[in-house]
Amino acid sequence: MGINSTEVSYSFGQLGSAYTTESSDAIKPPTGKVFVAITMLLDTVFDSSGGLVAERALVSGATTGDVSTNTGDVYISTEQPAHDLASGSETTDEGSGGQVVDSVTFPKGITIYGRWSEVDVNSGSVIAYIGD
């Protein structure tokens, strides 16, 4: 049975993709869209500032005031930690111990999933897939 694409939210990269390498500028998705998956074509390290900029989404129960203190972030990035509550403070929506993705080498062939508004590679190359 076919799917009527006018009734479906595109969240798995059906809206296209972009390729970038360490020698390129940061890539950004079209207005109102995000990168929903990133596949490493070579061992890859993202720039430490602006390399992997996550959509600022909050876990259930977090307030907009929490954004400035980093509490409640749900997607990994080079800008702020996700799921970084103190040990023993976990909730049904947020975990503990999360860290900023800085100087991490993602191996060739791995795909990470999330919601990112900007991708900039320090070393390596990637394909980033666009979704709603």
Side-chain angles (χ1 to χ4, degrees):
M1 175 177 208
I3 295 176
N4 183 345
S5 62
T6 61
E7 297 173 8
V8 176
S9 174
Y10 290 103
S11 57
F12 297 106
Q14 298 97 318
L15 299 178
S17 59
Y19 167 77
T20 190
T21 69
E22 60 194 70
S23 61
S24 301
D25 291 334
I27 57 173
K28 296 181 180 182
T31 302
K33 309 291 185 230
V34 292
F35 294 117
V36 294
I38 302 170
T39 298
M40 313 312 150
L41 300 177
L42 298 171
D43 289 355
T44 299
V45 176
F46 295 99
D47 282 349
S48 60
S49 178
L52 196 57
V53 179
E55 178 179 67
R56 295 305 302 268
L58 299 174
V59 298
S60 175
T63 67
T64 55
D66 292 330
V67 171
S68 63
T69 62
N70 299 331
T71 300
D73 290 317
V74 296
Y75 304 112
I76 64 168
S77 81
T78 55
E79 308 303 301
Q80 73 275 340
H83 296 281
D84 68 332
L85 293 177
S87 180
S89 300
E90 299 84 359
T91 69
T92 57
D93 294 316
E94 187 171 10
S96 65
Q99 299 178 3
V100 172
V101 179
D102 190 19
S103 302
V104 174
T105 300
F106 290 88
K108 173 183 174 180
I110 193 170
T111 299
I112 58 174
Y113 300 91
R115 296 179 63 82
W116 298 281
S117 59
E118 182 175 328
V119 174
D120 197 2
V121 173
N122 185 49
S123 64
S125 65
V126 303
I127 295 176
Y129 299 91
I130 301 166
D132 280 333

